[in-house]
Amino acid sequence: MNTTPSKPTTPTPTTPPAGTTDPAEGTADAVTEEATAKDSLVKDPAKDSAAKDTTGTPSDAADSGTAPCDLAGQAEAEAEDDDDVLEPDPFEEARHGVGAGAAAVVSAALGIVALTGAWTGRVAAERETLIGQIQTSGGGSPAQQISEIYGDAWHTTALVNGVFAVLALLVGVFVLVRPAFGTPSERPQPTWVRAVALAGVALGAIGVLISAGMYFDLFMALPTAGAPAGG
């Protein structure tokens, strides 16, 4: 009879074969993956709203990208409209300058004619001389002959020259005061136009003074006939 006590036997852990997994570890991994999936499905509303506020929707991004372009195009269109409204018409400005220059030249030319005399004045003077000769052909005193033949022709020439002088004066004054009336122009009147107009005004004023002196015999009086010698 064997009296030696028998040793308790301890179960030896069994090692799973290579390529296989422990059922307990597989179960734990499955539980962990399921919990992670649930956490990913449950979203925080605050984070979602913050993300939306930060990034924005694609349509908002597109609108914010095209808005500056639209504003720039609108600003350019408004600037072009303002330029079209404010910018003066070049043809209108050129026509205005040509008219003022021509009027100034006419004024100066009329002033010169008033001082030197025109063919119209000579023709009118010759006509008055002829009329005086006809009137005194039948007889007349020497004073009457001087007045009819010489005085009337002299006064007619002064009158014609005075008319030219007055026209030169009026046209020159009109050119100088024209910018103050009507539609104002952004460009000032050219200097040469004002200079020629001033010359016309000066010549016209001198012509008026000379013509008035000639017509009223202020500079030179008509000749007088001497008394006939007694026999």
Side-chain angles (χ1 to χ4, degrees), residues 125-141 144-150 152:
E126 292 174 357
R127 181 178 181 276
E128 290 296 329
T129 301
L130 180 59
I131 293 174
Q133 290 175 354
I134 294 172
Q135 291 177 353
T136 59
S137 62
S141 63
Q144 184 181 2
Q145 291 179 359
I146 292 172
S147 176
E148 295 291 338
I149 297 174
Y150 180 76
D152 291 348

Side-chain angles (χ1 to χ4, degrees), residues 1-228:
M1 184 173 179
N2 188 3
T3 60
T4 302
S6 60
K7 296 179 180 181
T9 60
T10 60
T12 59
T14 59
T15 303
T20 60
T21 58
D22 190 0
E25 293 180 358
T27 303
D29 293 339
V31 172
T32 303
E33 290 177 359
E34 184 178 358
T36 304
K38 290 181 179 180
D39 293 338
S40 62
L41 292 176
V42 178
K43 295 182 179 180
D44 189 0
K47 291 182 180 180
D48 293 341
S49 61
K52 288 182 180 180
D53 294 338
T54 303
T55 58
T57 60
S59 60
D60 294 338
D63 294 339
S64 61
T66 56
C69 297
D70 296 338
L71 294 176
Q74 184 178 1
E76 291 178 358
E78 291 178 354
E80 291 178 357
D81 294 340
D82 294 340
D83 293 340
D84 294 339
V85 173
L86 298 178
E87 185 178 359
D89 188 3
F91 297 101
E92 184 67 24
E93 292 293 331
R95 183 164 57 251
H96 173 70
V98 170
V105 173
V106 169
S107 174
L110 290 174
I112 295 174
V113 171
L115 295 178
T116 59
W119 66 272
T120 54
R122 291 193 299 270
V123 170
E126 292 174 357
R127 181 178 181 276
E128 290 296 329
T129 301
L130 180 59
I131 293 174
Q133 290 175 354
I134 294 172
Q135 291 177 353
T136 59
S137 62
S141 63
Q144 184 181 2
Q145 291 179 359
I146 292 172
S147 176
E148 295 291 338
I149 297 174
Y150 180 76
D152 291 348
W154 176 273
H155 294 161
T156 302
T157 302
L159 182 62
V160 173
N161 292 342
V163 171
F164 280 100
V166 171
L167 291 176
L169 185 62
L170 293 177
V171 174
V173 171
F174 172 77
V175 173
L176 294 176
V177 301
R178 175 63 180 83
F181 300 94
T183 304
S185 178
E186 295 183 356
R187 298 180 182 179
Q189 195 175 51
T191 305
W192 70 270
V193 173
R194 296 182 61 83
V196 176
L198 285 173
V201 171
L203 293 174
I206 295 173
V208 169
L209 293 177
I210 294 175
S211 299
M214 290 175 60
Y215 188 83
F216 294 104
D217 300 330
L218 299 178
F219 300 139
M220 291 180 293
L222 290 174
T224 58

